Amino acid sequence: MPVQHIVQADPEIVCEVYELGAHRRTPAAVKELTSRQVAIGRMMSTGAKDAAIARELGLSLRTVRAEISALIAGLGAKSRFQAGCLLVRRFG
């Protein structure tokens, strides 16, 4: 099965492989997220791109990217990919 199909079928597998291979500390405690960050996080966890999130929520691309940066920090993630893994676990 091609890797793309595995990722689409179960992103949790990709997250576990990432965490096994990455010698990183466990993310810091999650800070309270704003309702906008939660909405953006839900969209990110489905694989939505920044521009699509901006269009859907009626925000500028710059605002979405700033919210994503705040979301990554709020989750205690070290990267957007790690934040995505945490979001998949949080939102399914």
Side-chain angles (χ1 to χ4, degrees), residues 2-73:
V3 174
Q4 292 172 327
H5 294 287
I6 294 171
V7 173
Q8 291 172 353
D10 192 357
E12 184 70 25
I13 293 171
V14 175
C15 293
E16 288 187 28
V17 170
Y18 170 77
E19 289 172 357
L20 286 172
H23 300 288
R24 300 177 189 269
R25 294 176 297 159
T26 305
V30 175
K31 295 179 183 174
E32 189 68 30
L33 302 176
T34 66
S35 59
R36 182 185 282 176
Q37 290 168 346
V38 170
I40 290 171
R42 286 183 189 276
M43 294 180 77
M44 284 176 63
S45 71
T46 66
K49 304 287 186 221
D50 296 358
I53 295 170
R55 278 192 306 276
E56 179 72 24
L57 298 179
L59 302 170
S60 72
L61 186 56
R62 185 175 181 170
T63 298
V64 168
R65 288 183 175 153
E67 290 288 358
I68 290 171
S69 293
L71 175 65
I72 291 168

